[in-house]
Amino acid sequence: MSLTLPDLPYARTALEPHISARTVEQVHGQHQRDCVEAVAAAVAGTALEQAPLEQIARSSSGRLAEQAWQAWNLEFFWAGLSPRGGGEPGGRLGDWLARHYGDFARFREEFNRMALSLFGSGWAWLVQRADGSPGIVLGHRAASPVTGSDRPLLACNLWEHAYYLDRQNARADYLEAFWKLVDWNAVAARLR
């Protein structure tokens, strides 16, 4: 398997007006492409050359790991968004979040609080812990739960390039837009 930039699961304009096509192009078409190409070049001619991206992300270290984590994070991020997303999760996922946070509004408030507290670039994640409980974790720069025991369910890209073109430094405004795109069916499908 040769690493290539995966296609988006929707058109570049599909997330507008919440995330512009220009931002999608910058993040997917430029930043993610650069990460995938750097990983592919680094593993060329090695035992990892035919490995899937997740395996490379789990088994690498140093600069290669950072590039692989970021490429994997971005692929996961796009798969968790939908032009028909938003609202609140229902069913088992909605019950699970309500059981642990009181209700969806409190979960979202805590997620936003943590996402706004991250200094610099990184990621906010909803994860399922090994014991089955939910957690909200932050990853600085390219750090990813793909390398640990937490099961990632939802990723929010907090790198400045994810929102600067659309909202300059207004991360809170970006988070409001993010919630309008979350594909709760995709998140629920990841739940154990």
Side-chain angles (χ1 to χ4, degrees):
M1 156 189 289
S2 179
L3 291 178
T4 58
L5 179 69
D7 291 333
L8 291 170
Y10 33 74
R12 291 189 192 279
T13 58
L15 303 179
E16 291 182 333
H18 311 297
I19 298 177
S20 71
R22 197 170 143 211
T23 293
V24 172
E25 177 58 36
Q26 178 180 353
V27 178
H28 177 261
Q30 182 180 343
H31 184 68
Q32 187 175 355
R33 177 181 304 282
D34 290 348
C35 291
V36 170
E37 289 175 356
V39 172
V43 300
T46 74
L48 292 173
E49 184 171 26
Q50 297 302 315
L53 182 58
E54 185 170 336
Q55 180 183 344
I56 297 167
R58 288 180 180 274
S59 63
S60 301
S61 61
R63 183 74 176 143
L64 173 58
E66 289 179 16
Q67 293 288 344
W69 296 341
Q70 190 71 331
W72 187 90
N73 291 352
L74 285 163
E75 186 174 332
F76 191 91
F77 169 71
W78 297 121
L81 301 180
S82 170
R84 294 171 302 285
E88 296 186 15
R92 186 171 157 240
L93 176 62
D95 293 344
W96 181 68
L97 290 172
R99 193 167 52 252
H100 291 279
Y101 291 95
D103 58 26
F104 177 73
R106 286 190 208 144
F107 157 72
R108 184 174 152 170
E109 182 179 298
E110 179 63 8
F111 191 100
N112 284 351
R113 184 190 68 74
M114 290 187 67
L116 291 169
S117 76
L118 180 72
F119 180 76
S121 298
W123 293 84
W125 299 87
L126 168 62
V127 299
Q128 185 175 26
R129 303 284 189 191
D131 67 4
S133 67
I136 301 168
V137 296
L138 299 178
H140 288 278
R141 302 202 38 84
S144 177
V146 73
T147 62
S149 62
D150 290 339
R151 181 177 183 80
L153 303 177
L154 175 66
C156 182
N157 186 350
L158 299 176
W159 283 68
E160 190 176 67
H161 58 246
Y163 54 89
Y164 190 82
L165 290 176
D166 298 337
R167 292 177 177 77
Q168 284 68 52
N169 293 317
R171 188 181 279 182
D173 291 348
Y174 164 71
L175 287 167
E176 284 302 309
F178 167 78
W179 291 114
K180 294 174 183 170
L181 296 170
V182 173
D183 183 346
W184 292 113
N185 292 328
V187 177
R190 296 169 177 155
L191 189 63
R192 283 191 191 118

